Amino acid sequence: MKRLFLTALLTSALSMAGAATAEEQAPVAIAIHGGAGTILKANLTPEQDQAYRDKLNEAVIAGYAVLKNGGSSTDAIIAAIEIMEASPLFNAGVGAVYTWEAEHELDASIMEGDTLNAGAVAGVKTIASPIAAARAVMDHSVHVMLSGEGAQAFAVEQGLAMVENSHFDTERRMRALEKVKARLLENDHASLIVDPATVDYKFGTVGAVALDANGNIAAGTSTGGMTAKRWGRVGDSPIIGAGTWADNSSCAVSATGHGEFFIRNHVAADICSRVKYQGVTIAEAGETVMQDVLLPMGGTGGVIIIDAEGNIAMPFNTEGMYRASVDVNGEVTVAIYKEN
Amino acid sequence: MKRLFLTALLTSALSMAGAATAEEQAPVAIAIHGGAGTILKANLTPEQDQAYRDKLNEAVIAGYAVLKNGGSSTDAIIAAIEIMEASPLFNAGVGAVYTWEAEHELDASIMEGDTLNAGAVAGVKTIASPIAAARAVMDHSVHVMLSGEGAQAFAVEQGLAMVENSHFDTERRMRALEKVKARLLENDHASLIVDPATVDYKFGTVGAVALDANGNIAAGTSTGGMTAKRWGRVGDSPIIGAGTWADNSSCAVSATGHGEFFIRNHVAADICSRVKYQGVTIAEAGETVMQDVLLPMGGTGGVIIIDAEGNIAMPFNTEGMYRASVDVNGEVTVAIYKEN
């Protein structure tokens, strides 16, 4: 039933693009992620596995439809990310993890590869779509990054949809908070020296990268951050250069994982710098940063990468990463584990 | 009189280092900045000019003394930056610019080149030394970046010195706020599309980079941000990779200028990526980014750069930049304008 629906959706998306074939159009492509981590086949029921695949499929096809209709890479990644923000499956928007104080503090950022325009919000609590807020900052302010109450006030002024913080609540994340807090309080929680591997942080940040028919690439990322985070902690997702980067001359990247390591290695921008200055492919640059730079430091996670030719790479150094893509030939890939 | 005092201070600093000569020790060096902008000789009285030079001299010598005594590059940059934070001359700590709501919201960050450890605070209001708070985040939390009320609570927990927000007040910055608000309200302030060149933003961010006797480099930056900033705006100073970067394998950078452009070009990390991947010198990389990347976009400002050999570069694309350095030979430079 679900399968039929998805096939219908895909057909509809493609027919919306009119009679033009891939050969007649400039290449377009999109990739998305829904977080990386200890995602083993043994840990997901067949129903959970299918639910993730269905939602990833829905999101990537929605973004692809925008591109096939001549929409911008920015519109495409917003379309894909908003679907994942609205889904309780991912740690972004609805389903975001809880802070130490049992609230949700959301972060998002976006960047365009042709102009290097960028926008980000950090620590927002009642904006329905953080990625839409990041875009509003990019398009309608002279600033790149707004935070906290100020970012909220800006969103209200911009007429963005606002919700109660409880809008993002899910039972599953509340249980995760209780579990993490119990473990942290067993140890010396004041120092917060806790091995993320010992607790189910779930990561689950979402993101998208896309190439549009005008040859422009863009990247966006949205997250609830880290379970039980305190002290106004800001991770890599709203940091331009760490969690998100886009430059037509190299690549566009959205990251997911243990944010502190991604900041300390400016992961998104570094991958593109390697492409730009070393002349390596996005696949090579991504693999090097994930396996040779991050992993030895203990920095677990993954990235999705696209370049202006529509090449896609989705490297990660964890057991799995929720991910999907539609390449320049229209081929759809949806995968969770290392093999698929 | 002041000159005599400074000479005495320098002599004292150097004698504190004992009888060892530069040749006997591993090389150490330090560079600092106190902001870049439309700083013309015609705009400063001889007394103002001298006051800046004296304070820059005091700060750079304080940092250098730490290095000569075998202290770490981190200790050295903290020593230099805390002197500038305490001075009303610079837009950091005391003398920080005012937000739209006539408060001070301070940002700072720090990074170490051997471990890639980093710390940052954004939007803090009552921490006496934001750079000390950034260091506490680096040393005593598992996080890299803390913001707002949460960062304040962490600072209290860490026992850092706290002050009233009015501690940072100066008449001069209040007049600047009134001037900027008047201009913004004349125009369509809602869109905040204002040419920074038309108002006296003053920039004035402070920063330091240093090489210690163990061969480790570090960078730190502290700022009050932009006059009349709103909506919890975060500039480049607390963004690792944009305003601050340090990696022993390439260089350490602290930036000052129009922060949005520095984020969109991840300036600090990009300079080091060029050094690392293109094999250019820090002087070449810095000049390219300042003149060929930032200036055509309208991104004005400057950077200070040091590498693990103690080479120093201080490029800027504005009329002037408050800056000072002590190189590996112990030679002290203090300069404001293009020529000196």
Side-chain angles (χ1 to χ4, degrees), chain A residues 115-117 142-143 145 147 192 232 234 260 264 266 270 274 277, chain B residues 115-117 142-143 145 147 192 232 234 245 260 264 266 270 274 277:
Chain A
T115 57
L116 302 183
N117 278 338
V142 292
H143 299 312
M145 187 174 188
S147 65
L192 250 190
V234 180
E260 277 70 13
R264 290 168 54 200
H266 70 125
D270 185 39
R274 288 167 187 264
Y277 302 137
Chain B
T115 57
L116 303 182
N117 279 337
V142 291
H143 299 313
M145 187 174 188
S147 65
L192 248 191
V234 179
W245 187 257
E260 278 71 12
R264 290 169 54 200
H266 70 128
D270 184 39
R274 289 167 186 264
Y277 302 136

PDB file of all heavy atoms in Angstrom, chain A residues 115-117 142-143 145 147 192 232 234 260 264 266 270 274 277, chain B residues 115-117 142-143 145 147 192 232 234 245 260 264 266 270 274 277:
ATOM      1  N   THR A 115      26.289  32.508  -4.548  1.00  0.00           N
ATOM      2  CA  THR A 115      26.539  33.806  -3.914  1.00  0.00           C
ATOM      3  C   THR A 115      27.286  33.688  -2.603  1.00  0.00           C
ATOM      4  O   THR A 115      27.739  34.705  -2.064  1.00  0.00           O
ATOM      5  CB  THR A 115      25.200  34.495  -3.603  1.00  0.00           C
ATOM      6  OG1 THR A 115      24.440  33.604  -2.766  1.00  0.00           O
ATOM      7  CG2 THR A 115      24.419  34.795  -4.866  1.00  0.00           C
ATOM      8  N   LEU A 116      27.409  32.481  -2.078  1.00  0.00           N
ATOM      9  CA  LEU A 116      27.907  32.253  -0.713  1.00  0.00           C
ATOM     10  C   LEU A 116      27.021  32.936   0.317  1.00  0.00           C
ATOM     11  O   LEU A 116      27.464  33.226   1.429  1.00  0.00           O
ATOM     12  CB  LEU A 116      29.364  32.714  -0.558  1.00  0.00           C
ATOM     13  CG  LEU A 116      30.392  32.071  -1.493  1.00  0.00           C
ATOM     14  CD1 LEU A 116      31.797  32.575  -1.150  1.00  0.00           C
ATOM     15  CD2 LEU A 116      30.359  30.549  -1.432  1.00  0.00           C
ATOM     16  N   ASN A 117      25.777  33.231  -0.045  1.00  0.00           N
ATOM     17  CA  ASN A 117      24.831  33.716   0.957  1.00  0.00           C
ATOM     18  C   ASN A 117      24.541  32.585   1.930  1.00  0.00           C
ATOM     19  O   ASN A 117      24.513  31.414   1.543  1.00  0.00           O
ATOM     20  CB  ASN A 117      23.525  34.175   0.300  1.00  0.00           C
ATOM     21  CG  ASN A 117      23.641  35.580  -0.251  1.00  0.00           C
ATOM     22  OD1 ASN A 117      24.496  36.359   0.182  1.00  0.00           O
ATOM     23  ND2 ASN A 117      22.794  35.907  -1.208  1.00  0.00           N
ATOM     24  N   VAL A 142      20.622  41.377   7.077  1.00  0.00           N
ATOM     25  CA  VAL A 142      22.020  41.523   6.646  1.00  0.00           C
ATOM     26  C   VAL A 142      22.923  40.607   7.456  1.00  0.00           C
ATOM     27  O   VAL A 142      24.130  40.615   7.281  1.00  0.00           O
ATOM     28  CB  VAL A 142      22.522  42.981   6.795  1.00  0.00           C
ATOM     29  CG1 VAL A 142      21.808  43.877   5.806  1.00  0.00           C
ATOM     30  CG2 VAL A 142      22.354  43.481   8.215  1.00  0.00           C
ATOM     31  N   HIS A 143      22.308  39.826   8.351  1.00  0.00           N
ATOM     32  CA  HIS A 143      23.104  38.958   9.206  1.00  0.00           C
ATOM     33  C   HIS A 143      23.150  37.534   8.665  1.00  0.00           C
ATOM     34  O   HIS A 143      22.368  37.161   7.794  1.00  0.00           O
ATOM     35  CB  HIS A 143      22.541  38.961  10.624  1.00  0.00           C
ATOM     36  CG  HIS A 143      22.568  40.327  11.235  1.00  0.00           C
ATOM     37  ND1 HIS A 143      23.683  41.130  11.193  1.00  0.00           N
ATOM     38  CD2 HIS A 143      21.617  41.047  11.876  1.00  0.00           C
ATOM     39  CE1 HIS A 143      23.424  42.281  11.798  1.00  0.00           C
ATOM     40  NE2 HIS A 143      22.173  42.257  12.212  1.00  0.00           N
ATOM     41  N   MET A 145      23.803  34.851  11.177  1.00  0.00           N
ATOM     42  CA  MET A 145      23.387  33.976  12.284  1.00  0.00           C
ATOM     43  C   MET A 145      22.665  34.762  13.368  1.00  0.00           C
ATOM     44  O   MET A 145      23.180  35.747  13.882  1.00  0.00           O
ATOM     45  CB  MET A 145      24.628  33.294  12.883  1.00  0.00           C
ATOM     46  CG  MET A 145      24.300  32.236  13.928  1.00  0.00           C
ATOM     47  SD  MET A 145      25.829  31.372  14.435  1.00  0.00           S
ATOM     48  CE  MET A 145      25.156  30.069  15.452  1.00  0.00           C
ATOM     49  N   SER A 147      20.362  34.197  17.111  1.00  0.00           N
ATOM     50  CA  SER A 147      20.263  33.190  18.164  1.00  0.00           C
ATOM     51  C   SER A 147      19.189  33.515  19.189  1.00  0.00           C
ATOM     52  O   SER A 147      18.819  34.685  19.373  1.00  0.00           O
ATOM     53  CB  SER A 147      21.616  33.056  18.881  1.00  0.00           C
ATOM     54  OG  SER A 147      21.921  34.262  19.542  1.00  0.00           O
ATOM     55  N   LEU A 192      30.471  16.882  32.829  1.00  0.00           N
ATOM     56  CA  LEU A 192      29.863  16.451  31.578  1.00  0.00           C
ATOM     57  C   LEU A 192      30.817  15.652  30.714  1.00  0.00           C
ATOM     58  O   LEU A 192      30.685  15.627  29.502  1.00  0.00           O
ATOM     59  CB  LEU A 192      29.326  17.642  30.782  1.00  0.00           C
ATOM     60  CG  LEU A 192      27.808  17.736  30.697  1.00  0.00           C
ATOM     61  CD1 LEU A 192      27.407  18.813  29.691  1.00  0.00           C
ATOM     62  CD2 LEU A 192      27.182  16.407  30.271  1.00  0.00           C
ATOM     63  N   GLY A 232      23.061  26.238  26.854  1.00  0.00           N
ATOM     64  CA  GLY A 232      22.959  26.875  25.546  1.00  0.00           C
ATOM     65  C   GLY A 232      23.952  26.321  24.548  1.00  0.00           C
ATOM     66  O   GLY A 232      24.448  27.045  23.683  1.00  0.00           O
ATOM     67  N   VAL A 234      25.724  24.988  21.493  1.00  0.00           N
ATOM     68  CA  VAL A 234      25.507  25.078  20.056  1.00  0.00           C
ATOM     69  C   VAL A 234      26.392  24.028  19.384  1.00  0.00           C
ATOM     70  O   VAL A 234      27.593  23.975  19.640  1.00  0.00           O
ATOM     71  CB  VAL A 234      25.858  26.485  19.523  1.00  0.00           C
ATOM     72  CG1 VAL A 234      25.638  26.561  18.028  1.00  0.00           C
ATOM     73  CG2 VAL A 234      25.031  27.547  20.244  1.00  0.00           C
ATOM     74  N   GLU A 260      30.674  18.580  18.151  1.00  0.00           N
ATOM     75  CA  GLU A 260      31.893  19.237  18.617  1.00  0.00           C
ATOM     76  C   GLU A 260      33.084  18.879  17.722  1.00  0.00           C
ATOM     77  O   GLU A 260      33.910  19.738  17.393  1.00  0.00           O
ATOM     78  CB  GLU A 260      32.180  18.848  20.076  1.00  0.00           C
ATOM     79  CG  GLU A 260      31.405  19.674  21.107  1.00  0.00           C
ATOM     80  CD  GLU A 260      29.907  19.392  21.147  1.00  0.00           C
ATOM     81  OE1 GLU A 260      29.466  18.384  20.554  1.00  0.00           O
ATOM     82  OE2 GLU A 260      29.164  20.171  21.766  1.00  0.00           O
ATOM     83  N   ARG A 264      35.422  21.427  15.385  1.00  0.00           N
ATOM     84  CA  ARG A 264      36.880  21.494  15.559  1.00  0.00           C
ATOM     85  C   ARG A 264      37.623  21.101  14.287  1.00  0.00           C
ATOM     86  O   ARG A 264      38.824  21.359  14.166  1.00  0.00           O
ATOM     87  CB  ARG A 264      37.313  20.593  16.718  1.00  0.00           C
ATOM     88  CG  ARG A 264      36.861  21.127  18.074  1.00  0.00           C
ATOM     89  CD  ARG A 264      37.036  20.088  19.165  1.00  0.00           C
ATOM     90  NE  ARG A 264      38.393  19.593  19.204  1.00  0.00           N
ATOM     91  CZ  ARG A 264      38.760  18.438  19.768  1.00  0.00           C
ATOM     92  NH1 ARG A 264      37.850  17.663  20.335  1.00  0.00           N
ATOM     93  NH2 ARG A 264      40.014  18.061  19.759  1.00  0.00           N
ATOM     94  N   HIS A 266      36.071  21.848  11.198  1.00  0.00           N
ATOM     95  CA  HIS A 266      35.307  22.605  10.181  1.00  0.00           C
ATOM     96  C   HIS A 266      35.009  21.699   8.988  1.00  0.00           C
ATOM     97  O   HIS A 266      35.359  21.977   7.846  1.00  0.00           O
ATOM     98  CB  HIS A 266      36.006  23.912   9.796  1.00  0.00           C
ATOM     99  CG  HIS A 266      37.274  23.813   9.001  1.00  0.00           C
ATOM    100  ND1 HIS A 266      37.447  24.463   7.809  1.00  0.00           N
ATOM    101  CD2 HIS A 266      38.414  23.127   9.213  1.00  0.00           C
ATOM    102  CE1 HIS A 266      38.648  24.177   7.335  1.00  0.00           C
ATOM    103  NE2 HIS A 266      39.253  23.394   8.162  1.00  0.00           N
ATOM    104  N   ASP A 270      35.955  22.066   5.080  1.00  0.00           N
ATOM    105  CA  ASP A 270      37.233  21.405   4.810  1.00  0.00           C
ATOM    106  C   ASP A 270      37.104  20.422   3.647  1.00  0.00           C
ATOM    107  O   ASP A 270      38.015  20.317   2.816  1.00  0.00           O
ATOM    108  CB  ASP A 270      37.764  20.692   6.057  1.00  0.00           C
ATOM    109  CG  ASP A 270      39.153  20.089   5.826  1.00  0.00           C
ATOM    110  OD1 ASP A 270      39.973  20.734   5.146  1.00  0.00           O
ATOM    111  OD2 ASP A 270      39.415  18.973   6.309  1.00  0.00           O
ATOM    112  N   ARG A 274      39.386  20.810   0.270  1.00  0.00           N
ATOM    113  CA  ARG A 274      40.204  19.749  -0.323  1.00  0.00           C
ATOM    114  C   ARG A 274      39.872  19.582  -1.809  1.00  0.00           C
ATOM    115  O   ARG A 274      40.763  19.398  -2.643  1.00  0.00           O
ATOM    116  CB  ARG A 274      39.979  18.422   0.425  1.00  0.00           C
ATOM    117  CG  ARG A 274      40.603  18.408   1.810  1.00  0.00           C
ATOM    118  CD  ARG A 274      40.107  17.241   2.648  1.00  0.00           C
ATOM    119  NE  ARG A 274      40.584  17.334   4.016  1.00  0.00           N
ATOM    120  CZ  ARG A 274      41.663  16.712   4.489  1.00  0.00           C
ATOM    121  NH1 ARG A 274      42.355  15.917   3.706  1.00  0.00           N
ATOM    122  NH2 ARG A 274      42.041  16.876   5.731  1.00  0.00           N
ATOM    123  N   TYR A 277      41.290  22.964  -3.502  1.00  0.00           N
ATOM    124  CA  TYR A 277      42.728  23.237  -3.504  1.00  0.00           C
ATOM    125  C   TYR A 277      43.575  22.013  -3.841  1.00  0.00           C
ATOM    126  O   TYR A 277      44.691  22.146  -4.326  1.00  0.00           O
ATOM    127  CB  TYR A 277      43.172  23.795  -2.147  1.00  0.00           C
ATOM    128  CG  TYR A 277      42.449  25.063  -1.746  1.00  0.00           C
ATOM    129  CD1 TYR A 277      41.984  25.250  -0.443  1.00  0.00           C
ATOM    130  CD2 TYR A 277      42.234  26.091  -2.668  1.00  0.00           C
ATOM    131  CE1 TYR A 277      41.332  26.405  -0.061  1.00  0.00           C
ATOM    132  CE2 TYR A 277      41.574  27.255  -2.302  1.00  0.00           C
ATOM    133  CZ  TYR A 277      41.123  27.408  -1.002  1.00  0.00           C
ATOM    134  OH  TYR A 277      40.466  28.552  -0.636  1.00  0.00           O
TER     135      TYR A 277
ATOM    136  N   THR B 115      46.004  20.252  19.507  1.00  0.00           N
ATOM    137  CA  THR B 115      44.910  19.303  19.751  1.00  0.00           C
ATOM    138  C   THR B 115      43.659  19.624  18.948  1.00  0.00           C
ATOM    139  O   THR B 115      42.727  18.815  18.914  1.00  0.00           O
ATOM    140  CB  THR B 115      44.513  19.337  21.233  1.00  0.00           C
ATOM    141  OG1 THR B 115      44.154  20.698  21.551  1.00  0.00           O
ATOM    142  CG2 THR B 115      45.647  18.891  22.133  1.00  0.00           C
ATOM    143  N   LEU B 116      43.605  20.790  18.345  1.00  0.00           N
ATOM    144  CA  LEU B 116      42.388  21.314  17.729  1.00  0.00           C
ATOM    145  C   LEU B 116      41.271  21.455  18.770  1.00  0.00           C
ATOM    146  O   LEU B 116      40.091  21.483  18.412  1.00  0.00           O
ATOM    147  CB  LEU B 116      41.912  20.458  16.550  1.00  0.00           C
ATOM    148  CG  LEU B 116      42.905  20.246  15.402  1.00  0.00           C
ATOM    149  CD1 LEU B 116      42.256  19.417  14.292  1.00  0.00           C
ATOM    150  CD2 LEU B 116      43.404  21.574  14.857  1.00  0.00           C
ATOM    151  N   ASN B 117      41.637  21.544  20.033  1.00  0.00           N
ATOM    152  CA  ASN B 117      40.637  21.881  21.043  1.00  0.00           C
ATOM    153  C   ASN B 117      40.183  23.314  20.830  1.00  0.00           C
ATOM    154  O   ASN B 117      40.964  24.161  20.399  1.00  0.00           O
ATOM    155  CB  ASN B 117      41.203  21.739  22.459  1.00  0.00           C
ATOM    156  CG  ASN B 117      41.187  20.301  22.934  1.00  0.00           C
ATOM    157  OD1 ASN B 117      40.415  19.493  22.431  1.00  0.00           O
ATOM    158  ND2 ASN B 117      42.042  19.985  23.901  1.00  0.00           N
ATOM    159  N   VAL B 142      32.572  19.357  27.578  1.00  0.00           N
ATOM    160  CA  VAL B 142      32.762  18.541  26.378  1.00  0.00           C
ATOM    161  C   VAL B 142      32.253  19.293  25.152  1.00  0.00           C
ATOM    162  O   VAL B 142      32.283  18.776  24.045  1.00  0.00           O
ATOM    163  CB  VAL B 142      32.021  17.184  26.474  1.00  0.00           C
ATOM    164  CG1 VAL B 142      32.676  16.303  27.512  1.00  0.00           C
ATOM    165  CG2 VAL B 142      30.538  17.369  26.763  1.00  0.00           C
ATOM    166  N   HIS B 143      31.782  20.516  25.363  1.00  0.00           N
ATOM    167  CA  HIS B 143      31.236  21.280  24.251  1.00  0.00           C
ATOM    168  C   HIS B 143      32.264  22.250  23.685  1.00  0.00           C
ATOM    169  O   HIS B 143      33.286  22.529  24.304  1.00  0.00           O
ATOM    170  CB  HIS B 143      29.995  22.041  24.710  1.00  0.00           C
ATOM    171  CG  HIS B 143      28.920  21.116  25.184  1.00  0.00           C
ATOM    172  ND1 HIS B 143      28.533  20.007  24.473  1.00  0.00           N
ATOM    173  CD2 HIS B 143      28.159  21.112  26.307  1.00  0.00           C
ATOM    174  CE1 HIS B 143      27.583  19.365  25.123  1.00  0.00           C
ATOM    175  NE2 HIS B 143      27.341  20.007  26.247  1.00  0.00           N
ATOM    176  N   MET B 145      30.880  25.247  21.922  1.00  0.00           N
ATOM    177  CA  MET B 145      30.237  26.568  21.912  1.00  0.00           C
ATOM    178  C   MET B 145      29.030  26.595  22.836  1.00  0.00           C
ATOM    179  O   MET B 145      28.121  25.784  22.707  1.00  0.00           O
ATOM    180  CB  MET B 145      29.800  26.899  20.486  1.00  0.00           C
ATOM    181  CG  MET B 145      29.274  28.318  20.324  1.00  0.00           C
ATOM    182  SD  MET B 145      28.967  28.647  18.550  1.00  0.00           S
ATOM    183  CE  MET B 145      28.619  30.416  18.625  1.00  0.00           C
ATOM    184  N   SER B 147      26.019  29.360  24.558  1.00  0.00           N
ATOM    185  CA  SER B 147      25.446  30.661  24.208  1.00  0.00           C
ATOM    186  C   SER B 147      24.503  31.172  25.280  1.00  0.00           C
ATOM    187  O   SER B 147      23.943  30.402  26.070  1.00  0.00           O
ATOM    188  CB  SER B 147      24.688  30.546  22.883  1.00  0.00           C
ATOM    189  OG  SER B 147      23.586  29.679  23.028  1.00  0.00           O
ATOM    190  N   LEU B 192      16.889  46.256   7.706  1.00  0.00           N
ATOM    191  CA  LEU B 192      18.273  46.350   8.183  1.00  0.00           C
ATOM    192  C   LEU B 192      19.294  46.373   7.044  1.00  0.00           C
ATOM    193  O   LEU B 192      20.431  45.958   7.218  1.00  0.00           O
ATOM    194  CB  LEU B 192      18.606  45.209   9.141  1.00  0.00           C
ATOM    195  CG  LEU B 192      18.834  45.621  10.599  1.00  0.00           C
ATOM    196  CD1 LEU B 192      19.418  44.468  11.394  1.00  0.00           C
ATOM    197  CD2 LEU B 192      19.753  46.830  10.716  1.00  0.00           C
ATOM    198  N   GLY B 232      19.734  38.825  18.548  1.00  0.00           N
ATOM    199  CA  GLY B 232      20.718  37.827  18.945  1.00  0.00           C
ATOM    200  C   GLY B 232      21.733  37.535  17.858  1.00  0.00           C
ATOM    201  O   GLY B 232      22.222  36.416  17.730  1.00  0.00           O
ATOM    202  N   VAL B 234      24.863  36.840  15.854  1.00  0.00           N
ATOM    203  CA  VAL B 234      26.176  36.283  16.155  1.00  0.00           C
ATOM    204  C   VAL B 234      27.085  36.576  14.977  1.00  0.00           C
ATOM    205  O   VAL B 234      26.738  36.276  13.830  1.00  0.00           O
ATOM    206  CB  VAL B 234      26.096  34.758  16.402  1.00  0.00           C
ATOM    207  CG1 VAL B 234      27.477  34.179  16.696  1.00  0.00           C
ATOM    208  CG2 VAL B 234      25.130  34.450  17.544  1.00  0.00           C
ATOM    209  N   TRP B 245      40.960  30.359  14.236  1.00  0.00           N
ATOM    210  CA  TRP B 245      41.360  29.019  13.812  1.00  0.00           C
ATOM    211  C   TRP B 245      42.805  28.772  14.219  1.00  0.00           C
ATOM    212  O   TRP B 245      43.617  29.704  14.205  1.00  0.00           O
ATOM    213  CB  TRP B 245      41.229  28.836  12.292  1.00  0.00           C
ATOM    214  CG  TRP B 245      41.487  27.414  11.859  1.00  0.00           C
ATOM    215  CD1 TRP B 245      42.618  26.918  11.275  1.00  0.00           C
ATOM    216  CD2 TRP B 245      40.601  26.307  12.019  1.00  0.00           C
ATOM    217  NE1 TRP B 245      42.481  25.570  11.061  1.00  0.00           N
ATOM    218  CE2 TRP B 245      41.254  25.155  11.508  1.00  0.00           C
ATOM    219  CE3 TRP B 245      39.315  26.175  12.549  1.00  0.00           C
ATOM    220  CZ2 TRP B 245      40.674  23.891  11.510  1.00  0.00           C
ATOM    221  CZ3 TRP B 245      38.729  24.922  12.547  1.00  0.00           C
ATOM    222  CH2 TRP B 245      39.402  23.796  12.030  1.00  0.00           C
ATOM    223  N   GLU B 260      29.804  39.084   8.980  1.00  0.00           N
ATOM    224  CA  GLU B 260      28.997  38.259   8.078  1.00  0.00           C
ATOM    225  C   GLU B 260      29.830  37.766   6.891  1.00  0.00           C
ATOM    226  O   GLU B 260      29.721  36.607   6.473  1.00  0.00           O
ATOM    227  CB  GLU B 260      27.772  39.041   7.602  1.00  0.00           C
ATOM    228  CG  GLU B 260      26.600  39.033   8.585  1.00  0.00           C
ATOM    229  CD  GLU B 260      26.823  39.852   9.851  1.00  0.00           C
ATOM    230  OE1 GLU B 260      27.799  40.633   9.904  1.00  0.00           O
ATOM    231  OE2 GLU B 260      26.030  39.715  10.798  1.00  0.00           O
ATOM    232  N   ARG B 264      30.771  33.838   5.840  1.00  0.00           N
ATOM    233  CA  ARG B 264      30.433  33.313   4.520  1.00  0.00           C
ATOM    234  C   ARG B 264      31.666  32.867   3.748  1.00  0.00           C
ATOM    235  O   ARG B 264      31.557  32.167   2.725  1.00  0.00           O
ATOM    236  CB  ARG B 264      29.662  34.371   3.730  1.00  0.00           C
ATOM    237  CG  ARG B 264      28.254  34.616   4.273  1.00  0.00           C
ATOM    238  CD  ARG B 264      27.626  35.845   3.658  1.00  0.00           C
ATOM    239  NE  ARG B 264      27.646  35.778   2.204  1.00  0.00           N
ATOM    240  CZ  ARG B 264      27.517  36.837   1.413  1.00  0.00           C
ATOM    241  NH1 ARG B 264      27.372  38.052   1.932  1.00  0.00           N
ATOM    242  NH2 ARG B 264      27.541  36.685   0.110  1.00  0.00           N
ATOM    243  N   HIS B 266      34.415  31.659   5.620  1.00  0.00           N
ATOM    244  CA  HIS B 266      35.141  30.897   6.667  1.00  0.00           C
ATOM    245  C   HIS B 266      36.616  31.296   6.648  1.00  0.00           C
ATOM    246  O   HIS B 266      37.522  30.484   6.470  1.00  0.00           O
ATOM    247  CB  HIS B 266      34.936  29.392   6.543  1.00  0.00           C
ATOM    248  CG  HIS B 266      35.573  28.699   5.376  1.00  0.00           C
ATOM    249  ND1 HIS B 266      36.368  27.593   5.519  1.00  0.00           N
ATOM    250  CD2 HIS B 266      35.557  28.958   4.044  1.00  0.00           C
ATOM    251  CE1 HIS B 266      36.796  27.191   4.325  1.00  0.00           C
ATOM    252  NE2 HIS B 266      36.312  27.993   3.419  1.00  0.00           N
ATOM    253  N   ASP B 270      39.971  29.143   6.097  1.00  0.00           N
ATOM    254  CA  ASP B 270      40.339  29.116   4.678  1.00  0.00           C
ATOM    255  C   ASP B 270      41.789  29.545   4.472  1.00  0.00           C
ATOM    256  O   ASP B 270      42.492  28.973   3.631  1.00  0.00           O
ATOM    257  CB  ASP B 270      39.407  30.017   3.861  1.00  0.00           C
ATOM    258  CG  ASP B 270      39.694  29.928   2.364  1.00  0.00           C
ATOM    259  OD1 ASP B 270      39.978  28.805   1.881  1.00  0.00           O
ATOM    260  OD2 ASP B 270      39.652  30.959   1.676  1.00  0.00           O
ATOM    261  N   ARG B 274      44.515  27.057   2.691  1.00  0.00           N
ATOM    262  CA  ARG B 274      45.374  27.416   1.559  1.00  0.00           C
ATOM    263  C   ARG B 274      46.839  27.106   1.876  1.00  0.00           C
ATOM    264  O   ARG B 274      47.587  26.612   1.024  1.00  0.00           O
ATOM    265  CB  ARG B 274      45.205  28.901   1.219  1.00  0.00           C
ATOM    266  CG  ARG B 274      43.862  29.209   0.578  1.00  0.00           C
ATOM    267  CD  ARG B 274      43.578  30.713   0.537  1.00  0.00           C
ATOM    268  NE  ARG B 274      42.234  30.981   0.054  1.00  0.00           N
ATOM    269  CZ  ARG B 274      41.908  31.274  -1.209  1.00  0.00           C
ATOM    270  NH1 ARG B 274      42.873  31.364  -2.121  1.00  0.00           N
ATOM    271  NH2 ARG B 274      40.667  31.491  -1.562  1.00  0.00           N
ATOM    272  N   TYR B 277      46.975  23.076   1.958  1.00  0.00           N
ATOM    273  CA  TYR B 277      46.718  22.317   0.730  1.00  0.00           C
ATOM    274  C   TYR B 277      47.395  22.914  -0.501  1.00  0.00           C
ATOM    275  O   TYR B 277      47.666  22.198  -1.466  1.00  0.00           O
ATOM    276  CB  TYR B 277      45.218  22.211   0.478  1.00  0.00           C
ATOM    277  CG  TYR B 277      44.440  21.559   1.611  1.00  0.00           C
ATOM    278  CD1 TYR B 277      43.236  22.090   2.058  1.00  0.00           C
ATOM    279  CD2 TYR B 277      44.925  20.405   2.237  1.00  0.00           C
ATOM    280  CE1 TYR B 277      42.526  21.488   3.091  1.00  0.00           C
ATOM    281  CE2 TYR B 277      44.226  19.812   3.280  1.00  0.00           C
ATOM    282  CZ  TYR B 277      43.027  20.355   3.701  1.00  0.00           C
ATOM    283  OH  TYR B 277      42.326  19.772   4.724  1.00  0.00           O
TER     284      TYR B 277
END
